[in-house]
Amino acid sequence: MLTQITDFLNIGGPALWVIAGLSVVTLALILWKLWRLSRLGAWRRGATETAVDLWQRGRHDAALSGLQSRTGLRARVARTAMQAARTMPSDDARDETARVARGALMDAGSGLRALDLIATIAPLVGLLGTVLGMIDAFQALQDSGARADPSALAGGIWEALLTTAAGMAVAIPASMALSWFDSINDRLAHDFDDLATRILTHGKTDGKKD
């Protein structure tokens, strides 16, 4: 099996080997992003929503207590907003919450530049391999002169086109994954803004306390 894979990659030359490496990196990045987003709680919002509801009803101590052991991104931003609302002026509380929210978004977006780079360069590497392969094929055609074998030329052309197809095969899933991860970041940004607004507008005005 390994020999067959090696022989296949050798057909496309160095460009196909590079694309194969990019495919491995792409898969590793996607799996790592899924694991990291899961660890960061990108899809968990229940506990944070419960705490914010308590905060809006004036039960500030209970709200903060419910977030103390939470490590998710939404919980981090909500906890910061609650603590800032209690201890800082309104404008400073908003600035501090925005600072923490930006850091949380940076954490959620880590690795996306690498995926974007792969989605961009994989087709270009494939195209480069195709151009180099076509040059070799036409050089062989020129050297053979009148004795040119059409089947040999066709074989050289399809081998050259193989790298373009491989580059697209890597770029397409990388682009799809990048778009999906971007949509998760957009959702997180919206949720951070919504949580901060709901918390800070009820910061110190509610009468009922724990």
Side-chain angles (χ1 to χ4, degrees), residues 165-178:
M168 291 180 179
V170 172
I172 290 172
S175 296
M176 292 174 63
L178 179 63

Side-chain angles (χ1 to χ4, degrees), residues 17-107:
W17 279 97
V18 172
I19 292 170
L22 290 175
S23 70
V24 174
V25 174
T26 299
L27 179 59
L29 275 172
I30 291 172
L31 293 176
W32 175 77
K33 281 295 297 180
L34 290 172
W35 172 81
R36 180 158 178 76
L37 287 172
S38 178
R39 288 288 302 272
L40 292 172
W43 296 287
R44 298 193 303 269
R45 58 171 60 90
T48 304
E49 286 293 334
T50 299
V52 173
D53 287 342
L54 289 171
W55 180 271
Q56 289 182 304
R57 294 201 300 270
R59 300 179 59 187
H60 294 176
D61 290 337
L64 273 169
S65 177
L67 294 177
Q68 286 304 320
S69 61
R70 300 289 174 175
T71 59
L73 296 174
R74 293 178 180 84
R76 187 193 310 175
V77 173
R79 184 169 57 247
T80 298
M82 291 176 185
Q83 292 170 342
R86 279 188 154 186
T87 60
M88 297 179 180
S90 178
D91 289 343
D92 292 343
R94 290 184 182 279
D95 290 342
E96 176 64 12
T97 304
R99 183 188 67 81
V100 173
R102 286 194 298 269
L105 283 176
M106 287 288 290
D107 287 343

Side-chain angles (χ1 to χ4, degrees), residues 118-171:
I118 290 173
T120 300
I121 68 172
L124 297 179
V125 173
L127 183 59
L128 176 62
T130 294
V131 171
L132 295 176
M134 294 292 286
I135 290 173
D136 289 340
F138 283 111
Q139 280 182 334
L141 177 63
Q142 182 183 25
D143 293 340
S144 62
R147 302 185 307 276
D149 183 358
S151 63
L153 178 61
I157 291 175
W158 82 258
E159 290 175 3
L161 291 173
L162 184 62
T163 58
T164 295
M168 291 180 179
V170 172

